[in-house]
């Protein structure tokens, strides 16, 4: 897992420079984490690539609003792997990628949510 860097300046662009809105975004990011993780685990177990892709797509944008480009990029890689699976491109390789990356992704999500607690 890469070092977790949060760039508040870039994140504030998504909140129109409103620090209060940014702090609300961080709160919502943390509040939705457990539900999102549960859904991701269920979708992975069911090999429901469409719904898995929907969640990681949303998290890709959420990560940018939080200010963590690395988590956004990892989300993007999972999103595109799911799209490839659904399109029939390198299916077995992409399924293996999602399944092996998934635990690291959830750990990163936990660590990022925890790190946002220190922002005020």
């Amino acid at each position: 897992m890469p070092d977790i860097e949060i760039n508040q300046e870039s994140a504030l662009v998504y909140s129109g420079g409103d620090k209060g809105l940014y702090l609300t975004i961080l709160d919502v990011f943390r509040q939705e984490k457990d539900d999102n993780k549960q859904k991701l685990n269920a979708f992975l177990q069911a090999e429901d690539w469409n719904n898995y892709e929907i969640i990681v797509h949303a998290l890709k944008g959420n990560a940018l609003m939080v200010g963590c480009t690395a988590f956004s990029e990892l989300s993007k890689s999972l999103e595109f792997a799911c799209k490839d699976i659904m399109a029939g491109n390198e299916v077995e390789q992409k399924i293996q990628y999602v399944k092996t990356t998934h635990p690291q992704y959830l750990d990163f999500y936990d660590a990022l949510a925890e790190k946002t607690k220190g922002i005020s």
Side-chain angles (χ1 to χ4, degrees):
M1 178 173 21
D3 284 339
I4 298 173
E5 293 185 30
I6 297 176
N7 183 329
Q8 292 182 48
E9 286 182 29
S10 71
L12 282 168
V13 170
Y14 294 97
S15 62
D18 184 334
K19 181 75 176 215
L21 178 57
Y22 175 60
L23 295 175
T24 299
I25 289 167
L26 295 179
D27 286 340
V28 171
F29 183 78
R30 287 189 300 269
Q31 290 169 9
E32 293 179 345
K33 178 182 65 79
D34 290 338
D35 186 48
N36 283 333
K37 285 178 58 182
Q38 183 179 27
K39 288 177 183 175
L40 285 168
N41 282 325
F43 296 147
L44 180 69
Q45 180 73 26
E47 296 191 352
D48 181 347
W49 307 119
N50 182 60
N51 283 311
Y52 192 96
E53 183 268 332
I54 289 168
I55 300 291
V56 295
H57 171 81
L59 289 172
K60 175 182 72 174
N62 293 349
L64 291 176
M65 290 191 293
V66 165
C68 188
T69 304
F71 189 68
S72 181
E73 289 298 318
L74 186 55
S75 300
K76 181 179 179 178
S77 74
L78 288 166
E79 174 189 5
F80 279 83
C82 289
K83 287 181 184 220
D84 282 340
I85 293 166
M86 292 183 293
N89 300 326
E90 301 176 345
V91 173
E92 291 306 316
Q93 179 184 353
K94 299 299 179 170
I95 289 172
Q96 187 63 28
Y97 173 76
V98 173
K99 287 183 174 183
T100 58
T101 305
H102 178 81
Q104 167 194 346
Y105 184 69
L106 296 186
D107 288 346
F108 196 166
Y109 194 1
D110 283 334
L112 176 57
E114 187 63 29
K115 185 159 186 172
T116 67
K117 290 180 181 177
I119 297 173
S120 58

